[in-house]
Amino acid sequence: MGSSAGTKHEGFSAEERAAMRDHAKELKAAARRGSRADKAAQAEQDVLAKIAAMAPSDRAMAERVHAVVRAAAPVLEPKLWYGMPAYALDGKVVCFFQSAEKFKARYATLGFSDQASLDDGPMWPTGFALTGVTSEVEEKIAALVERAVS
């Protein structure tokens, strides 16, 4: 491959590097925990602490998303994933909340991994922008999460 004059590869952004450091810490912390129940309880506390540390607008949305996900799919286990609140089935992340502040974005995102059963033909959405969580939005999130684990 040749190089183009004036082209410079910037690499990972500061936010992406911070997310990777968060993920490394999460993996180390999980490896040190005792029983499965201890790990689950601490993981939930980690998620709640991460949500509590968010900026007020992100925190309000993350709290509602957390409550809706836990109610709609109790089988999903909360955990941190790259520094974001996430919800996993058998250890594999199904969905996550990405705060706007963390990545200096215009909106927060509710995202779904390839583990989510949202397939709908040859193309379907896996990320949803959130600027607020109304009762209508809560219903949509609940329906998506229920479908994702079906």
Side-chain angles (χ1 to χ4, degrees):
M1 294 192 335
S3 65
S4 301
T7 303
K8 182 178 177 186
H9 177 66
E10 296 293 327
F12 294 109
S13 70
E15 294 81 11
E16 290 167 329
R17 287 190 302 276
M20 288 185 280
R21 282 191 300 274
D22 286 343
H23 189 55
K25 289 178 193 174
E26 293 155 12
L27 293 173
K28 287 178 187 177
R32 288 190 298 262
R33 294 186 182 134
S35 71
R36 181 171 167 84
D38 289 343
K39 287 180 182 183
Q42 187 58 53
E44 174 125 26
Q45 290 305 312
D46 292 346
V47 166
L48 293 174
K50 182 61 77 172
I51 291 170
M54 290 179 182
S57 62
D58 284 339
R59 182 174 53 246
M61 287 187 288
E63 288 170 346
R64 293 306 313 140
V65 167
H66 179 76
V68 170
V69 170
R70 297 295 283 146
V75 67
L76 292 178
E77 298 176 346
K79 67 183 276 180
L80 289 178
W81 185 61
Y82 292 95
M84 297 178 284
Y87 305 87
L89 182 62
D90 298 326
K92 296 180 181 175
V93 170
V94 173
C95 62
F96 59 91
F97 177 85
Q98 179 178 313
S99 75
E101 181 185 47
K102 182 174 180 73
F103 289 97
K104 297 179 177 73
R106 185 168 63 101
Y107 48 79
T109 304
L110 174 64
F112 291 86
S113 75
D114 60 342
Q115 299 298 312
S117 299
L118 297 177
D119 304 38
D120 185 19
M123 183 176 155
W124 58 90
T126 60
F128 299 86
L130 295 172
T131 57
V133 179
T134 64
S135 58
E136 182 181 333
V137 170
E138 287 180 1
E139 289 175 17
K140 289 179 181 180
I141 292 171
L144 284 166
V145 170
E146 288 170 358
R147 185 170 157 210
V149 296
S150 64

